[in-house]
Amino acid sequence: MGDINVFSGPMKCGKSEQIINEFTKHQIAGKKAMMFKPKIDDRAGETLVASRNGRKINAINIEKIEELEDYDTDVFFIDEFQFLKGNIDTIENLATKGKKFYIAGLNLTAEKKPFGKMGDLLCISDNVKMMTSICEVCKNDNAIFSYYKGKKNCDIEIGDAKYIPVCRHCYEKLNKGNTIFY
Ligand SMILES: [Zn+2]
């Protein structure tokens, strides 16, 4: 039987690192494994998934969850899942057929709303690891939100130069304009 394993949390919490670790482990064990990422995210170059410490894995670019059905592999790895469109049932169906999933994604937008299909994914997952980052304001290890520093000019802004991980307390302070940090 397959299963669905998710690493989630704010930016800079090590999500991509976790699925790269799992990918490497499965490859060494000789399992059929493939890495996927949304087409929209080109931070690491067209076809790479990269961790913040520089490890890189070749990835297949897809736009919709349904496209996973076109690939013959035993273990699916997906980074930046929040940017994928499509039907979450595809993942549940593939897991029922015996496929394993390791998925990384931001759970919340900078407005603290469920990001894309992440909410649906968390509900159907076997294992969810919620991770935290270091808050860039107070430096405590309890950042659960990604805060946007600046004025938004489109719906989804890619790249994380303008986003910082912050804790609940500092998010509120920043939202009220009480802290200047850059
Ligand atoms: Zn804080």
Side-chain angles (χ1 to χ4, degrees), residues 1-5 69 73-74 76 88-101 124-126:
M1 197 44 78
D3 56 28
I4 306 165
N5 307 281
E69 286 170 345
T73 188
D74 294 328
F76 290 83
I88 200 81
D89 292 349
T90 300
I91 291 179
E92 169 55 22
N93 291 339
L94 286 168
T96 302
K97 286 178 188 158
K99 305 295 184 182
K100 280 180 87 73
F101 287 85
I124 61 160
S125 295
D126 299 75

Side-chain angles (χ1 to χ4, degrees), residues 7 14-27 35 48-58 77-79 102 104:
F7 299 101
K15 306 180 291 292
S16 299
E17 189 69 36
Q18 292 274 355
I19 59 163
I20 290 173
N21 278 343
E22 291 294 340
F23 183 86
T24 310
K25 236 161 58 180
H26 282 76
Q27 256 194 339
M35 181 72 82
L48 290 173
V49 167
S51 69
R52 290 178 194 278
N53 66 16
R55 293 164 74 200
K56 294 187 177 93
I57 303 284
N58 279 318
F77 294 82
I78 312 170
D79 197 22
Y102 290 90

Side-chain angles (χ1 to χ4, degrees), residues 120-152:
D120 295 331
L121 176 68
L122 295 178
C123 290
I124 61 160
S125 295
D126 299 75
N127 300 296
V128 175
K129 186 171 181 190
M130 274 300 186
M131 302 170 71
T132 56
S133 300
I134 308 289
C135 172
E136 285 202 12
V137 178
C138 70
K139 309 297 179 194
N140 287 318
D141 183 15
N142 60 350
I144 55 168
F145 298 125
S146 302
Y147 184 82
Y148 181 74
K149 315 189 289 184
K151 211 170 152 231
K152 261 199 161 162

